[in-house]
Short mmCIF file of all heavy atoms in Angstrom, two decimals:
data_model
loop_
_atom_site.label_atom_id
_atom_site.label_comp_id
_atom_site.label_asym_id
_atom_site.label_seq_id
_atom_site.Cartn_x
_atom_site.Cartn_y
_atom_site.Cartn_z
N GLY A 10 18.76 22.16 -9.97
CA GLY A 10 17.43 21.86 -9.42
C GLY A 10 16.87 20.51 -9.73
O GLY A 10 15.98 20.04 -9.01
N LEU A 11 17.34 19.86 -10.79
CA LEU A 11 16.74 18.57 -11.17
C LEU A 11 17.70 17.82 -12.08
O LEU A 11 18.29 18.37 -13.01
CB LEU A 11 15.42 18.80 -11.90
CG LEU A 11 14.46 17.59 -12.02
CD1 LEU A 11 14.08 17.04 -10.63
CD2 LEU A 11 13.23 17.97 -12.81
N GLN A 12 17.89 16.50 -11.79
CA GLN A 12 18.72 15.61 -12.58
C GLN A 12 17.90 14.40 -13.05
O GLN A 12 16.91 14.06 -12.42
CB GLN A 12 19.89 15.09 -11.77
CG GLN A 12 20.83 16.07 -11.20
CD GLN A 12 21.93 15.33 -10.34
OE1 GLN A 12 22.17 14.16 -10.51
NE2 GLN A 12 22.56 16.08 -9.46
N ASP A 13 18.36 13.76 -14.10
CA ASP A 13 17.86 12.49 -14.44
C ASP A 13 17.98 11.56 -13.21
O ASP A 13 19.00 11.57 -12.50
CB ASP A 13 18.64 11.82 -15.58
CG ASP A 13 18.40 12.50 -16.93
OD1 ASP A 13 17.46 13.32 -17.01
OD2 ASP A 13 19.17 12.24 -17.86
N TRP A 14 16.97 10.72 -12.95
CA TRP A 14 16.95 9.72 -11.89
C TRP A 14 16.77 10.30 -10.46
O TRP A 14 16.74 9.55 -9.49
CB TRP A 14 18.18 8.78 -11.91
CG TRP A 14 18.37 8.06 -13.19
CD1 TRP A 14 19.35 8.32 -14.13
CD2 TRP A 14 17.56 6.99 -13.67
NE1 TRP A 14 19.21 7.41 -15.16
CE2 TRP A 14 18.14 6.58 -14.91
CE3 TRP A 14 16.47 6.28 -13.18
CZ2 TRP A 14 17.59 5.56 -15.69
CZ3 TRP A 14 15.93 5.24 -13.96
CH2 TRP A 14 16.48 4.91 -15.19
N GLU A 15 16.70 11.61 -10.34
CA GLU A 15 16.62 12.20 -9.02
C GLU A 15 15.27 11.88 -8.33
O GLU A 15 14.24 11.86 -8.97
CB GLU A 15 16.83 13.71 -9.07
CG GLU A 15 16.85 14.39 -7.73
CD GLU A 15 17.30 15.83 -7.83
OE1 GLU A 15 17.63 16.32 -8.92
OE2 GLU A 15 17.34 16.49 -6.74
N ILE A 16 15.35 11.69 -7.01
CA ILE A 16 14.14 11.53 -6.20
C ILE A 16 14.03 12.77 -5.33
O ILE A 16 14.94 13.11 -4.54
CB ILE A 16 14.21 10.28 -5.32
CG1 ILE A 16 14.46 9.02 -6.17
CG2 ILE A 16 12.88 10.13 -4.54
CD1 ILE A 16 13.45 8.77 -7.28
N LYS A 17 12.95 13.51 -5.51
CA LYS A 17 12.68 14.67 -4.68
C LYS A 17 11.89 14.22 -3.43
O LYS A 17 11.00 13.35 -3.51
CB LYS A 17 11.84 15.70 -5.44
CG LYS A 17 12.61 16.40 -6.57
CD LYS A 17 13.69 17.29 -5.99
CE LYS A 17 14.37 18.11 -7.07
NZ LYS A 17 15.46 18.96 -6.49
N CYS A 18 12.18 14.80 -2.30
CA CYS A 18 11.53 14.41 -1.04
C CYS A 18 10.08 14.91 -1.05
O CYS A 18 9.80 16.08 -1.23
CB CYS A 18 12.24 15.04 0.16
SG CYS A 18 14.00 14.53 0.28
N GLN A 19 9.17 14.01 -0.82
CA GLN A 19 7.78 14.38 -0.71
C GLN A 19 7.48 14.80 0.71
O GLN A 19 8.04 14.33 1.67
CB GLN A 19 6.88 13.21 -1.13
CG GLN A 19 6.98 11.96 -0.28
CD GLN A 19 5.82 11.74 0.65
OE1 GLN A 19 4.87 12.53 0.67
NE2 GLN A 19 5.87 10.64 1.40
N LYS A 20 6.57 15.73 0.85
CA LYS A 20 6.03 16.15 2.17
C LYS A 20 4.53 16.25 2.00
O LYS A 20 4.05 17.00 1.18
CB LYS A 20 6.65 17.47 2.57
CG LYS A 20 6.19 17.88 3.98
CD LYS A 20 6.85 19.16 4.41
CE LYS A 20 6.40 19.54 5.86
NZ LYS A 20 7.03 20.81 6.33
N ASP A 21 3.84 15.46 2.81
CA ASP A 21 2.37 15.42 2.72
C ASP A 21 1.90 15.09 1.31
O ASP A 21 0.90 15.64 0.81
CB ASP A 21 1.75 16.74 3.18
CG ASP A 21 2.11 17.07 4.63
OD1 ASP A 21 2.23 16.17 5.43
OD2 ASP A 21 2.32 18.29 4.94
N GLY A 22 2.63 14.20 0.66
CA GLY A 22 2.16 13.67 -0.64
C GLY A 22 2.49 14.57 -1.84
O GLY A 22 1.99 14.31 -2.92
N LYS A 23 3.38 15.55 -1.66
CA LYS A 23 3.71 16.39 -2.82
C LYS A 23 5.06 17.09 -2.56
O LYS A 23 5.66 16.99 -1.50
CB LYS A 23 2.64 17.46 -3.02
CG LYS A 23 2.40 18.34 -1.79
CD LYS A 23 1.18 19.23 -1.96
CE LYS A 23 0.93 20.06 -0.70
NZ LYS A 23 -0.30 20.87 -0.82
N ALA A 24 5.54 17.77 -3.61
CA ALA A 24 6.82 18.49 -3.51
C ALA A 24 6.75 19.70 -4.41
O ALA A 24 6.10 19.67 -5.49
CB ALA A 24 7.99 17.60 -3.92
N ASP A 25 7.45 20.77 -4.01
CA ASP A 25 7.67 21.91 -4.89
C ASP A 25 9.08 21.79 -5.44
O ASP A 25 10.03 21.56 -4.66
CB ASP A 25 7.54 23.23 -4.11
CG ASP A 25 6.14 23.49 -3.65
OD1 ASP A 25 5.21 22.93 -4.23
OD2 ASP A 25 5.98 24.23 -2.67
N ILE A 26 9.22 21.93 -6.76
CA ILE A 26 10.52 21.73 -7.40
C ILE A 26 10.98 23.06 -8.01
O ILE A 26 10.29 23.65 -8.85
CB ILE A 26 10.45 20.67 -8.49
CG1 ILE A 26 10.04 19.32 -7.89
CG2 ILE A 26 11.81 20.55 -9.21
CD1 ILE A 26 9.85 18.20 -8.90
N VAL A 27 12.13 23.55 -7.51
CA VAL A 27 12.74 24.76 -8.08
C VAL A 27 13.79 24.32 -9.07
O VAL A 27 14.67 23.55 -8.75
CB VAL A 27 13.38 25.62 -6.95
CG1 VAL A 27 14.09 26.82 -7.56
CG2 VAL A 27 12.30 26.08 -5.99
N VAL A 28 13.71 24.82 -10.28
CA VAL A 28 14.59 24.40 -11.34
C VAL A 28 14.95 25.61 -12.19
O VAL A 28 14.21 26.59 -12.29
CB VAL A 28 13.92 23.28 -12.17
CG1 VAL A 28 12.65 23.79 -12.86
CG2 VAL A 28 14.88 22.67 -13.18
N GLY A 29 16.13 25.56 -12.82
CA GLY A 29 16.54 26.69 -13.65
C GLY A 29 17.70 26.36 -14.55
O GLY A 29 18.28 25.22 -14.47
N GLY A 30 18.06 27.26 -15.43
CA GLY A 30 19.13 27.02 -16.34
C GLY A 30 19.32 28.22 -17.26
O GLY A 30 19.15 29.37 -16.88
N SER A 31 19.63 27.92 -18.52
CA SER A 31 19.86 28.98 -19.51
C SER A 31 19.17 28.62 -20.83
O SER A 31 18.73 27.47 -21.02
CB SER A 31 21.36 29.19 -19.73
OG SER A 31 21.93 27.97 -20.26
N TYR A 32 19.04 29.61 -21.68
CA TYR A 32 18.42 29.37 -23.00
C TYR A 32 19.18 30.16 -24.04
O TYR A 32 19.86 31.14 -23.75
CB TYR A 32 16.93 29.78 -23.00
CG TYR A 32 16.68 31.25 -22.84
CD1 TYR A 32 16.49 32.07 -23.97
CD2 TYR A 32 16.60 31.86 -21.58
CE1 TYR A 32 16.27 33.42 -23.86
CE2 TYR A 32 16.40 33.21 -21.43
CZ TYR A 32 16.22 33.99 -22.59
OH TYR A 32 15.99 35.35 -22.47
N ILE A 33 19.05 29.67 -25.27
CA ILE A 33 19.64 30.37 -26.45
C ILE A 33 18.52 31.15 -27.11
O ILE A 33 17.55 30.54 -27.57
CB ILE A 33 20.28 29.35 -27.39
CG1 ILE A 33 21.40 28.60 -26.71
CG2 ILE A 33 20.79 30.08 -28.65
CD1 ILE A 33 21.99 27.51 -27.53
N PRO A 34 18.59 32.42 -27.14
CA PRO A 34 17.49 33.18 -27.78
C PRO A 34 17.38 32.93 -29.30
O PRO A 34 18.37 32.58 -29.94
CB PRO A 34 17.86 34.65 -27.50
CG PRO A 34 19.36 34.63 -27.30
CD PRO A 34 19.70 33.32 -26.71
N SER A 35 16.19 33.10 -29.76
CA SER A 35 15.95 32.95 -31.18
C SER A 35 16.69 34.06 -31.96
O SER A 35 16.88 35.14 -31.49
CB SER A 35 14.46 33.02 -31.47
OG SER A 35 14.21 33.16 -32.85
N GLU A 36 17.08 33.72 -33.17
CA GLU A 36 17.76 34.71 -34.02
C GLU A 36 16.78 35.72 -34.60
O GLU A 36 17.17 36.79 -35.06
CB GLU A 36 18.47 34.02 -35.19
CG GLU A 36 19.61 33.13 -34.68
CD GLU A 36 20.33 32.43 -35.85
OE1 GLU A 36 19.89 32.62 -36.99
OE2 GLU A 36 21.33 31.72 -35.61
N SER A 37 15.47 35.40 -34.53
CA SER A 37 14.46 36.34 -35.04
C SER A 37 14.34 37.53 -34.09
O SER A 37 14.14 37.39 -32.91
CB SER A 37 13.12 35.65 -35.18
OG SER A 37 12.11 36.59 -35.44
N PRO A 38 14.41 38.75 -34.65
CA PRO A 38 14.27 39.94 -33.78
C PRO A 38 12.88 40.08 -33.19
O PRO A 38 12.71 40.82 -32.20
CB PRO A 38 14.58 41.11 -34.73
CG PRO A 38 14.31 40.61 -36.09
CD PRO A 38 14.62 39.12 -36.08
N ASP A 39 11.87 39.41 -33.76
CA ASP A 39 10.51 39.50 -33.24
C ASP A 39 10.17 38.44 -32.22
O ASP A 39 9.04 38.38 -31.70
CB ASP A 39 9.51 39.39 -34.42
CG ASP A 39 9.69 40.50 -35.44
OD1 ASP A 39 10.01 41.61 -34.99
OD2 ASP A 39 9.51 40.25 -36.63
N SER A 40 11.11 37.55 -31.93
CA SER A 40 10.85 36.45 -31.02
C SER A 40 10.62 36.94 -29.56
O SER A 40 11.32 37.85 -29.10
CB SER A 40 11.98 35.44 -31.02
OG SER A 40 11.81 34.45 -30.05
N ILE A 41 9.68 36.28 -28.89
CA ILE A 41 9.42 36.64 -27.48
C ILE A 41 10.24 35.75 -26.51
O ILE A 41 10.34 36.03 -25.33
CB ILE A 41 7.92 36.52 -27.13
CG1 ILE A 41 7.42 35.05 -27.36
CG2 ILE A 41 7.11 37.49 -27.92
CD1 ILE A 41 6.02 34.84 -26.87
N ASN A 42 10.83 34.68 -27.05
CA ASN A 42 11.70 33.81 -26.25
C ASN A 42 11.04 33.42 -24.93
O ASN A 42 11.64 33.53 -23.85
CB ASN A 42 13.05 34.46 -25.98
CG ASN A 42 13.88 34.57 -27.26
OD1 ASN A 42 13.99 33.59 -27.99
ND2 ASN A 42 14.40 35.75 -27.51
N LYS A 43 9.82 32.92 -24.99
CA LYS A 43 9.12 32.47 -23.78
C LYS A 43 9.46 31.04 -23.48
O LYS A 43 9.50 30.20 -24.36
CB LYS A 43 7.61 32.65 -23.99
CG LYS A 43 6.77 32.38 -22.69
CD LYS A 43 5.32 32.63 -22.91
CE LYS A 43 5.03 34.12 -23.04
NZ LYS A 43 3.56 34.38 -23.09
N ILE A 44 9.83 30.77 -22.21
CA ILE A 44 10.22 29.40 -21.81
C ILE A 44 9.03 28.76 -21.11
O ILE A 44 8.52 29.24 -20.10
CB ILE A 44 11.43 29.44 -20.86
CG1 ILE A 44 12.56 30.31 -21.45
CG2 ILE A 44 11.91 28.05 -20.54
CD1 ILE A 44 13.07 29.82 -22.79
N TRP A 45 8.61 27.60 -21.67
CA TRP A 45 7.52 26.85 -21.11
C TRP A 45 8.06 25.52 -20.54
O TRP A 45 9.01 24.95 -21.00
CB TRP A 45 6.49 26.50 -22.19
CG TRP A 45 5.76 27.65 -22.77
CD1 TRP A 45 6.11 28.38 -23.86
CD2 TRP A 45 4.54 28.22 -22.30
NE1 TRP A 45 5.19 29.37 -24.12
CE2 TRP A 45 4.18 29.29 -23.17
CE3 TRP A 45 3.68 27.90 -21.26
CZ2 TRP A 45 3.03 30.04 -22.98
CZ3 TRP A 45 2.51 28.65 -21.08
CH2 TRP A 45 2.21 29.72 -21.94
#
Side-chain angles (χ1 to χ4, degrees):
L11 197 59
Q12 299 178 21
D13 290 348
W14 301 108
E15 183 169 359
I16 306 302
K17 290 292 187 182
C18 301
Q19 63 107 359
K20 183 176 181 181
D21 299 326
K23 58 189 177 183
D25 294 337
I26 300 176
V27 176
V28 63
S31 60
Y32 67 94
I33 299 174
S35 169
E36 295 180 358
S37 170
D39 298 325
S40 174
I41 61 173
N42 291 312
K43 187 176 288 186
I44 309 301
W45 294 91

